[in-house]
C-alpha cells in the first residue's frame, strides 16, 4: 500500500500552468483588496448605512476569495517542504507567498480598525444574511482592535517578520529535519534521521532504546547553539510585540486568540496538579517492572510493556482504524477509508522529512493531508487515528465558509483525541490478558504525555518567557529550565539522572510564532474528549448528530459556548477532575494487574 501522499489534486508541479495562474490570480485579488482599502479611506466619513453594509460584505467576500487561492498555493509549497525540507522550489515559494501576504497587511489593518470603530456593528450585521452568518468573525475583529499598532508599524512588523521570526522558524525546522544521528546497532555504527532514532524509544530492545536516547542527546550538540539562537529570537520578538500591542503577557494573548477564559485554564491546571501523584505511582511501578530503582529513566518512558506482539503493517493499521471507526460512526469510517485510499497520508519515515505528525486541512478542496512517521507500533496506529480525527473535524467544517472554519487551539484537539479514544478502547475488545496489560499501559503512557509532559512544557515555556524578558538564554540555561520543568511535573516518577534536557530543541511547538503555549491545548483536548466520550457512552447513537454539530460550531464560538452545547462547564474544576478520574482509574487497574 502506498505510504506517500498525493499533492496532484493541488498542482502537478511548481511549473504547472495551474500554479502559475493561481499566483497571478492572487496578485489580482491582493490588488483588489488594496484598492478597496483606498476607497474606504477616502469615503468612510461619508458612508450611509447601505454603503457600510456593502463594504462589509465586499470585504468578507474578498477575504474568502483570497483564502481559497492562498490556501491552495501555500498548502502545496508547505506540504512539499514538510517531506523534503531542502526542496528549493518549496522554500522559494513559501517566501514568495509570505511576501504577498505582507502586501495585504496595510489594507487589512485599515479594514479591521474601521470595523472595530463602528458603534452600530450589530445593527449593520442584522441588515444582511451574509453578515449574520459571519457575525462572530466580525465581532472578533472588533474585539482585537485595541491591540493593533499604527498602520505604519503594523506594515513594518509584517515585513520585518519575514527576515526575523519566520526565518528562524524555517531554520529550526530545516536543521531538525535534516539532522542525521550516529547510532550503533549490532556492533556497527550507522546514521539515521533524527525522527527514526526518536521512534526507537518504542522498540522492544531495551539496549537499543538507551543507545538511541544517548545518541539523540549527543546529536543535538552539533546544532544546539543555532537552535537556541532561533528560540531566543522568536520568543524575544513575541515579547516585544506583546508589549507594543498592550497585552499583559504572551499567555494573555494566547488565551484571547484561543477564545478561552483564564479561569478555564486555571481550573484545568489545578486539577492536573492534584492528579500528578497518581501519574507518579504509575511511572514508579513501570520503572520497577523494568528493573529501575530510582524512577523511570527517560529512555524507557515509552518502553512497550508485556509480552504481547502489538505491531502492525500499514495495511493492518488502515483496516483496524476503518473497522473500529465504523463502530462509532459509519460517516467517520468512510472518511478514514477515503483518506487512505486516495493517498491523503504520507506515513513513510525518510531523510529530509520532518518528524512527528500533523494534519493539514485544505478547505478549498474539501480535503486534508496527513503526515506521520509510521514504524508499526500500536502508538503509530493511535497517531494515525489522532490525525484522521483532525481531518474529520475539517471534513465536518466543509459546510462552513473558511472564515467560520478556523477553530482555536484547545478545540483543535477535540476530534483527534476522541478518535484516539475510540481506537484505544476498541483494541481492548477481544484482547488477551497479555495484550490488555500492554494496551492499558500504552494508554496510560499516552495520557502521561498529554497531561504530565504537557504540564512540564507549559512550565518550561512560562519560565522561558519570564527569563527572556531580561536576556538570551544560553544552551545550558535552556537545558536547566527544561530539566526543572520535568522535575516539577514528573517528580520522583522519573529518574533525575536520565531526563531530556533537549526537549526544547526537537519540539516544533515552541517555534510557532503565532501560536505560543501550544502545549495546554493538548491537555484540554485530552480531557474534553474524555468528557465527550463519557457522554457518548451514556447516550449511544443519539450522540452522533450533536457531536457533529459541536465540531461544526468550533469555528464561530468561544470555547465555553461550544462546550455548553454538550452541557459541559469548562470553568468548573469538577469537570476536569471527572475527566482525570478516567485516567486515574486506568492507573489503579494497571497497578493492580501489575502486582499479579
Amino acid at each position: 500500500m502506498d505510504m506517500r501522499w498525493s499533492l496532484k489534486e493541488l498542482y502537478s508541479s511548481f511549473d504547472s500552468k495551474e500554479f502559475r495562474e493561481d499566483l497571478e490570480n492572487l496578485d489580482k485579488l491582493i490588488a483588489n483588496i488594496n484598492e478597496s482599502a483606498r476607497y474606504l479611506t477616502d469615503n468612510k466619513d461619508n458612508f450611509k448605512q447601505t454603503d457600510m453594509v456593502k463594504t462589509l460584505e465586499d470585504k468578507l467576500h474578498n477575504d474568502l476569495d483570497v483564502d481559497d487561492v492562498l490556501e491552495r498555493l501555500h498548502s502545496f509549497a508547505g506540504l512539499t517542504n514538510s517531506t523534503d525540507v531542502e526542496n528549493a522550489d518549496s522554500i522559494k515559494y513559501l517566501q514568495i507567498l509570505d511576501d504577498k501576504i505582507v502586501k495585504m497587511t496595510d489594507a487589512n489593518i485599515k479594514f479591521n480598525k474601521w470595523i472595530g470603530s463602528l458603534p452600530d456593528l450589530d445593527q449593520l450585521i442584522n441588515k444582511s444574511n451574509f453578515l449574520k452568518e459571519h457575525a462572530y468573525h466580525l465581532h472578533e475583529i472588533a474585539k482585537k482592535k485595541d491591540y493593533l499598532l499604527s498602520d505604519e508599524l503594523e506594515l513594518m512588523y509584517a515585513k520585518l517578520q519575514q527576515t526575523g521570526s519566520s526565518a528562524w522558524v524555517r531554520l529550526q525546522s530545516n536543521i531538525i529535519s535534516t539532522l542525521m544521528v550516529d547510532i550503533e546497532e549490532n556492533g556497527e555504527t550507522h546514521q539515521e534521521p533524527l525522527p527514526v532514532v526518536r521512534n526507537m524509544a518504542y522498540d522492544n530492545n531495551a539496549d537499543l532504546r538507551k543507545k538511541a536516547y544517548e545518541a539523540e542527546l549527543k546529536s543535538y550538540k552539533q546544532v544546539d547553539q543555532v537552535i537556541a539562537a532561533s528560540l531566543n529570537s522568536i520568543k524575544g520578538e513575541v515579547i516585544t510585540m506583546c508589549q507594543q500591542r498592550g497585552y499583559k503577557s504572551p499567555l494573555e494573548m494566547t488565551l484571547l486568540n484561543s477564545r478561552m477564559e483564564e479561569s478555564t485554564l486555571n481550573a484545568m491546571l489545578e486539577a492536573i496538579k492534584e492528579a500528578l501523584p497518581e501519574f507518579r505511582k504509575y511511572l514508579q511501578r513501570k520503572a520497577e517492572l523494568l528493573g529501575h530503582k530510582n524512577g523511570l529513566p527517560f529512555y524507557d518512558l515509552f518502553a512497550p510493556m508485556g509480552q504481547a506482539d502489538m505491531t502492525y503493517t500499514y495495511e493492518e493499521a488502515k483496516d483496524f482504524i476503518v473497522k473500529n471507526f465504523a463502530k462509532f460512526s459509519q460517516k467517520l469510517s468512510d472518511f478514514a477509508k477515503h483518506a487512505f485510499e486516495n493517498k491523503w497520508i504520507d506515513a513513510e519515515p525518510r531523510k529530509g522529512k520532518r518528524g512527528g505528525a500533523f494534519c493539514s486541512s485544505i478547505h478549498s478542496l474539501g480535503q486534508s493531508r496527513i503526515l506521520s512517521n509510521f514504524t508499526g507500533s500500536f502508538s503509530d496506529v493511535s497517531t494515525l487515528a489522532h490525525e484522521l480525527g483532525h481531518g474529520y473535524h475539517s471534513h465536518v467544517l466543509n459546510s462552513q465558509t473558511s472564515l467560520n472554519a478556523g477553530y482555536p487551539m484547545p478545540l483543535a484537539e477535540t476530534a483527534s483525541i476522541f478518535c484516539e479514544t475510540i481506537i484505544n478502547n476498541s483494541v481492548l475488545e477481544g484482547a488477551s490478558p497479555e495484550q490488555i496489560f500492554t494496551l492499558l499501559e500504552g494508554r496510560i503512557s499516552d495520557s502521561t504525555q498529554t497531561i504530565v509532559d504537557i504540564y512540564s512544557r507549559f512550565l518550561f515555556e512560562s519560565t522561558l518567557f519570564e527569563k527572556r524578558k531580561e536576556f538570551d538564554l544560553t544552551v545550558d540555561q535552556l537545558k536547566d529550565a527544561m530539566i526543572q520543568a520535568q522535575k516539577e511535573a514528573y517528580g520522583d516518577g522519573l529518574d533525575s539522572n536520565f531526563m531530556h534536557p533537549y526537549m526544547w530543541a526537537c519540539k516544533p511547538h515552541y517555534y510557532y510564532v503565532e501560536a505560543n503555549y501550544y502545549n495546554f491545548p493538548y491537555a484540554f483536548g485530552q480531557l474534553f474528549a474524555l468528557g465527550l466520550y463519557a457522554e457518548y457512552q451514556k447516550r449511544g447513537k443519539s450522540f452522533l448528530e450533536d457531536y457533529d454539530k459541536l465540531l461544526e460550531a468550533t469555528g464561530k464560538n468561544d470555547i465555553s459556548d461550544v462546550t455548553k452545547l454538550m452541557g459541559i462547564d469548562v470553568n468548573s474544576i469538577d469537570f476536569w477532575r471527572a475527566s482525570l478520574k478516567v485516567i486515574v482509574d486506568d492507573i489503579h487497574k494497571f497497578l493492580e494487574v501489575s502486582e499479579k
Side-chain angles (χ1 to χ4, degrees):
M1 188 175 182
D2 198 338
M3 294 177 69
R4 297 194 181 191
W5 58 29
S6 167
L7 300 183
K8 64 181 177 61
E9 292 77 10
L10 286 163
Y11 307 100
S12 58
S13 72
F14 289 104
D15 295 322
S16 68
K17 176 185 175 184
E18 293 78 11
F19 187 85
R20 297 293 180 186
E21 287 178 345
D22 272 353
L23 271 178
E24 292 176 6
N25 189 24
L26 180 60
D27 286 335
K28 293 176 184 176
L29 291 169
I30 292 172
N32 187 37
I33 284 179
N34 288 330
E35 179 58 36
S36 297
R38 282 190 287 272
Y39 181 82
L40 174 71
T41 301
D42 294 340
N43 297 279
K44 62 182 179 181
D45 293 336
N46 301 316
F47 277 170
K48 299 177 182 178
Q49 272 206 342
T50 52
D51 297 322
M52 294 179 183
V53 170
K54 185 177 186 308
T55 300
L56 286 170
E57 290 179 332
D58 288 346
K59 165 60 176 166
L60 296 187
H61 281 298
N62 284 338
D63 286 347
L64 289 169
D65 290 341
V66 169
D67 282 354
D68 187 64
V69 178
L70 182 59
E71 180 188 56
R72 289 198 301 272
L73 292 166
H74 208 282
S75 293
F76 186 69
L79 293 170
T80 299
N81 184 260
S82 67
T83 56
D84 183 7
V85 296
E86 295 181 324
N87 183 287
D89 283 333
S90 68
I91 295 170
K92 178 178 74 173
Y93 283 108
L94 284 172
Q95 293 172 339
I96 287 172
L97 292 170
D98 284 348
D99 288 340
K100 291 184 184 297
I101 292 170
V102 170
K103 292 177 180 178
M104 294 184 286
T105 300
D106 187 55
N108 286 329
I109 294 302
K110 283 181 168 59
F111 272 109
N112 290 352
K113 286 185 175 179
W114 175 68
I115 291 168
S117 70
L118 293 171
D120 52 354
L121 181 58
D122 283 323
Q123 188 177 352
L124 296 173
I125 289 172
N126 287 330
K127 290 183 178 296
S128 163
N129 288 332
F130 181 66
L131 296 182
K132 287 179 186 177
E133 182 185 355
H134 296 92
Y136 182 86
H137 176 73
L138 290 168
H139 281 298
E140 194 166 38
I141 290 173
K143 184 168 63 174
K144 295 179 180 179
K145 175 185 71 74
D146 293 337
Y147 299 103
L148 294 174
L149 305 175
S150 69
D151 296 4
E152 294 78 11
L153 286 177
E154 285 289 354
L155 182 58
M156 180 183 290
Y157 174 54
K159 289 180 177 179
L160 289 175
Q161 196 173 30
Q162 301 314 304
T163 52
S165 58
S166 295
W168 287 112
V169 170
R170 290 192 296 270
L171 179 62
Q172 186 273 343
S173 177
N174 289 347
I175 287 173
I176 290 299
S177 298
T178 58
L179 184 60
M180 298 298 291
V181 181
D182 292 325
I183 180 76
E184 191 239 313
E185 289 185 86
N186 302 318
E188 295 185 0
T189 300
H190 60 100
Q191 288 193 325
E192 293 288 354
L194 178 62
V196 173
V197 174
R198 283 181 55 78
N199 276 338
M200 292 176 182
Y202 299 91
D203 200 274
N204 285 311
N205 186 320
D207 184 54
L208 180 61
R209 292 196 301 270
K210 186 175 182 181
K211 285 180 178 178
Y213 161 81
E214 292 170 343
E216 179 195 352
L217 295 189
K218 184 178 178 181
S219 72
Y220 292 125
K221 294 179 180 179
Q222 308 169 54
V223 296
D224 57 7
Q225 294 291 341
V226 179
I227 298 178
S230 299
L231 186 58
N232 276 302
S233 298
I234 290 166
K235 296 307 187 188
E237 181 179 305
V238 171
I239 290 168
T240 299
M241 291 315 299
C242 280
Q243 291 171 342
Q244 293 298 311
R245 294 187 187 282
Y247 294 103
K248 295 177 184 176
S249 66
L251 181 58
E252 183 191 46
M253 179 179 69
T254 296
L255 289 170
L256 181 64
N257 292 336
S258 298
R259 306 170 188 169
M260 181 172 171
E261 298 170 71
E262 187 175 4
S263 57
T264 302
L265 177 63
N266 290 338
M268 182 183 73
L269 291 178
E270 188 60 34
I272 286 173
K273 283 190 280 187
E274 290 177 0
L276 289 177
E278 300 296 334
F279 285 92
R280 291 167 187 167
K281 291 177 185 176
Y282 149 71
L283 292 165
Q284 290 165 351
R285 182 58 184 148
K286 181 171 183 175
E288 292 171 5
L289 293 172
L290 292 171
H292 304 297
K293 295 182 179 180
N294 300 313
L296 193 63
F298 203 97
Y299 58 79
D300 272 348
L301 193 56
F302 308 105
M305 298 294 292
Q307 302 301 313
D309 179 16
M310 297 299 293
T311 58
Y312 296 76
T313 65
Y314 188 59
E315 183 75 33
E316 289 170 340
K318 171 221 164 187
D319 291 342
F320 184 81
I321 290 170
V322 170
K323 174 185 174 183
N324 287 290
F325 275 2
K327 295 177 182 178
F328 170 70
S329 159
Q330 190 59 48
K331 182 179 174 183
L332 174 62
S333 177
D334 291 343
F335 169 81
K337 183 178 180 182
H338 185 83
F340 277 108
E341 294 181 349
N342 287 274
K343 298 199 291 186
W344 289 10
I345 303 172
D346 196 298
E348 177 191 56
R350 56 190 182 275
K351 182 181 178 182
K353 178 180 176 180
R354 62 161 285 181
F358 68 76
C359 175
S360 177
S361 168
I362 311 172
H363 191 80
S364 56
L365 295 185
Q367 299 181 12
S368 293
R369 290 298 181 271
I370 290 167
L371 180 142
S372 73
N373 286 273
F374 185 85
T375 57
S377 68
F378 179 72
S379 177
D380 290 338
V381 180
S382 184
T383 295
L384 280 173
H386 178 105
E387 300 305 335
L388 284 163
H390 282 303
Y392 182 74
H393 194 165
S394 297
H395 176 70
V396 172
L397 282 164
N398 284 336
S399 61
Q400 302 291 315
T401 69
S402 61
L403 298 178
N404 283 338
Y407 43 79
M409 290 191 301
L411 293 177
E413 299 303 321
T414 302
S416 56
I417 296 179
F418 193 94
C419 284
E420 267 194 75
T421 305
I422 293 171
I423 291 302
N424 291 340
N425 286 344
S426 295
V427 75
L428 290 169
E429 298 174 8
S432 67
E434 293 82 5
Q435 289 174 327
I436 290 174
F437 174 77
T438 297
L439 292 165
L440 180 62
E441 191 281 326
R443 183 159 71 179
I444 300 169
S445 176
D446 289 344
S447 295
T448 301
Q449 286 301 292
T450 51
I451 303 301
V452 184
D453 199 68
I454 285 298
Y455 183 56
S456 76
R457 296 185 215 177
F458 177 82
L459 294 172
F460 169 79
E461 192 158 1
S462 298
T463 298
L464 172 58
F465 271 124
E466 192 60 34
K467 291 186 175 182
R468 183 60 187 81
K469 290 178 186 176
E470 304 296 330
F471 54 85
D472 279 10
L473 282 76
T474 66
V475 168
D476 285 341
Q477 287 170 331
L478 288 169
K479 289 163 65 177
D480 287 344
M482 182 58 75
I483 291 296
Q484 290 305 312
Q486 289 173 356
K487 285 181 177 179
E488 186 172 344
Y490 285 96
D492 55 6
L494 279 189
D495 186 335
S496 60
N497 295 309
F498 296 97
M499 307 188 93
H500 198 308
Y502 278 109
M503 191 61 71
W504 54 270
C506 61
K507 289 294 179 184
H509 306 72
Y510 296 120
Y511 302 84
Y512 296 161
V513 182
E514 304 298 335
N516 297 280
Y517 286 100
Y518 205 163
N519 34 61
F520 70 77
Y522 286 94
F524 184 104
Q526 168 86 19
L527 299 175
F528 182 50
L530 286 176
L532 286 178
Y533 198 84
E535 188 69 17
Y536 161 62
Q537 289 178 312
K538 285 190 287 185
R539 292 174 50 185
K541 292 297 181 182
S542 67
F543 171 85
L544 300 185
E545 185 177 349
D546 288 341
Y547 176 68
D548 281 358
K549 287 180 179 177
L550 178 140
L551 296 180
E552 194 176 26
T554 53
K556 52 183 180 180
N557 288 281
D558 288 342
I559 283 179
S560 59
D561 291 327
V562 173
T563 61
K564 284 175 185 175
L565 293 174
M566 288 293 188
I568 292 173
D569 178 8
V570 289
N571 287 318
S572 168
I573 194 172
D574 290 335
F575 166 74
W576 302 108
R577 286 169 174 159
S579 291
L580 281 160
K581 187 177 183 301
V582 176
I583 305 171
V584 170
D585 286 346
D586 275 351
I587 292 173
H588 292 168
K589 289 177 190 175
F590 171 78
L591 295 175
E592 181 181 342
V593 171
S594 67
E595 294 289 347
K596 295 180 181 179

